[in-house]
Amino acid sequence: MSLVLVGIVSLVVDLGLARDTRRQAQEAADAAALAAANALFLKTSDPTYDADYAGAVDAARTIAGKNFGTSDGQWSACVDPRAYALRPGGTQCISFQVSPPPSAGTGWTTLVRVKLPFRNVQTPFGGVFGSESVRVDAIATADVVNRKKSTCSVCVVGSGAHTIDGALDLDTGTLAVNGTLQGRGSVRTPTAAVLQGDSPPGVRFTPSASQDQPETQDPLRYLQLPYYEGLPQRTDPCTEGPGVYGDVDLDDSPGSACVLRAGLYVFVGTVRSTTRSIVGSNATLVFACGDFRVPRTCSSGGSGGGGLVLTGTATLSLTEPDGGPHDGWGIVAERDNPVRLIFRGDGTNRIDGTIYAASGTLDYGGNGPGGPVMDSLVVVGDLALGTSSAGDFGGQRAPFQSTYSQLNNTELTTNDIFLVPNG
């Protein structure tokens, strides 16, 4: 009887040792796969997003060595029958798969598979039962999702109540709305709109919207906004060009179109017009806080900064910079600026370039022919389409048309990285 008990205790000890080693191996494999995934795109600033496979393999080997004691010789001899086809590191146990191939204006997925070289765990008491070791290895797969283009072309990221009281027509991407939605309008998108709340009965979606979805994250939350320190203080953007401006009433200097020269225009006050046509080529409008002597970023919960109010026959035709540090940015508000971008005129607006006001409101209510035409990624905290908070619009049901192409918009440069089940 005592011999049997000794055997049982020995077996428990051996199995416990093997289990702990397997846990350590899996944690080491997970860490190695994530390290490789993080290293893939650390060095590249090339628009082709060439991956640093050598750096990824080195990262995986380094982490596995620290956590599980793997050696170069073990990696060279390691065998993985289910390895991916791309094996750039002299071992088939660190492999990669890219799908679909990267191309301009699209996103892609890179899978990183790490199979740790096996280890024989000695079982001190296993020899009694004819087994002196247990083979232990582990496999982990990390998924790197590279997105150069946002999946939502109009992204309403604030948590409040938003209004669609007109026609929203998107040629690419989709509409994503956090918070709640209300109104009496229509929405046409290539793929189903994504709503955090319910689909309001007064808004007609084609195709039907997906309801009760997780919160949509700001797709540009990690991007560096345009840098404007050192710009000169100015008063008339129509004649003086790029610079920092306070309140600007363009109707104080009546005339023909207000032509903005190429460059960065920073407004810490409100730009207004009821009669002027604003035309800008290779120009970016930035709405900041502070005053025109010392513009600054905005504080969360603080007072707002600059804004835009176009009514009457005033229009805006804006083309973003093609290249350079402000490439793709059309209209930008500091992230904590509760700015209002208000278009309530009778003319047609045309904006090529990203419209970004993560804490602000895009308030469009006008009856211009065909509504605005935007080749824009629109990311705003609130959307008020076809409404008038100031009471001077009279309930026109404004159409809003958007074609979002990567050519005229800022690129997403962040990657989502996570572990996935092993295939």
Side-chain angles (χ1 to χ4, degrees), residues 37-260:
N38 275 290
L40 271 174
F41 300 100
L42 281 180
K43 294 183 179 180
T44 181
S45 59
D46 191 292
T48 62
Y49 281 65
D50 289 338
D52 181 12
Y53 290 111
V57 170
D58 287 344
R61 287 191 178 205
T62 299
I63 293 299
K66 289 180 178 179
N67 292 330
F68 202 63
T70 55
S71 66
D72 288 344
Q74 288 176 312
W75 284 114
S76 298
C78 185
V79 176
D80 183 1
R82 304 188 69 178
Y84 296 133
L86 185 57
R87 307 167 191 175
T91 175
Q92 61 177 270
C93 288
I94 303 174
S95 58
F96 304 85
Q97 176 176 285
V98 182
S99 178
S103 60
T106 65
W108 67 96
T109 292
T110 304
L111 292 175
V112 183
R113 179 180 169 94
V114 174
K115 179 181 182 295
L116 286 189
F118 75 88
R119 173 184 296 178
N120 284 321
V121 179
Q122 299 301 314
T123 54
F125 304 104
V128 177
F129 301 97
S131 177
E132 297 181 351
S133 66
V134 175
R135 178 178 172 129
V136 173
D137 58 13
I139 300 172
T141 304
D143 190 352
V144 187
V145 180
N146 313 74
R147 295 189 179 94
K148 297 176 71 175
K149 186 176 179 182
S150 173
T151 54
C152 54
S153 52
V154 175
C155 317
V156 185
V157 297
S159 59
H162 317 290
T163 303
I164 294 181
D165 219 11
L168 179 64
D169 193 356
L170 306 182
D171 287 345
T172 61
T174 194
L175 169 70
V177 181
N178 291 336
T180 60
L181 187 61
Q182 61 190 8
R184 298 170 290 110
S186 64
V187 176
R188 186 193 67 83
T189 55
T191 58
V194 178
L195 309 181
Q196 188 180 30
D198 295 333
S199 178
V203 179
R204 184 176 69 256
F205 287 90
T206 306
S208 298
S210 297
Q211 307 178 64
D212 302 318
Q213 298 300 303
E215 177 184 7
T216 294
Q217 297 296 315
D218 172 1
L220 304 178
R221 61 193 180 278
Y222 297 126
L223 287 193
Q224 177 68 48
L225 300 184
Y227 180 74
Y228 46 77
E229 185 174 333
L231 287 176
Q233 303 164 15
R234 292 183 166 163
T235 58
D236 186 355
C238 307
T239 60
E240 296 179 88
V244 181
Y245 295 86
D247 288 320
V248 177
D249 189 337
L250 298 179
D251 296 341
D252 287 344
S253 302
S256 56
C258 171
V259 179
L260 304 179

Side-chain angles (χ1 to χ4, degrees), residues 381-409:
D382 183 25
L383 178 65
L385 177 60
T387 64
S388 173
S389 58
D392 62 356
F393 174 58
Q396 300 287 343
R397 297 172 64 79
F400 187 101
Q401 298 173 287
S402 177
T403 60
Y404 164 38
S405 71
Q406 191 56 63
L407 178 65
N408 293 321
N409 285 272

Side-chain angles (χ1 to χ4, degrees), residues 13 28 41 46 81 149 161 183 188 226 235 256 273 275 280-281 324 342 346 369 411:
V13 171
F41 300 100
D46 191 292
K149 186 176 179 182
R188 186 193 67 83
T235 58
S256 56
S273 182
T275 61
S281 179
I342 300 174
D346 296 335
E411 287 187 353

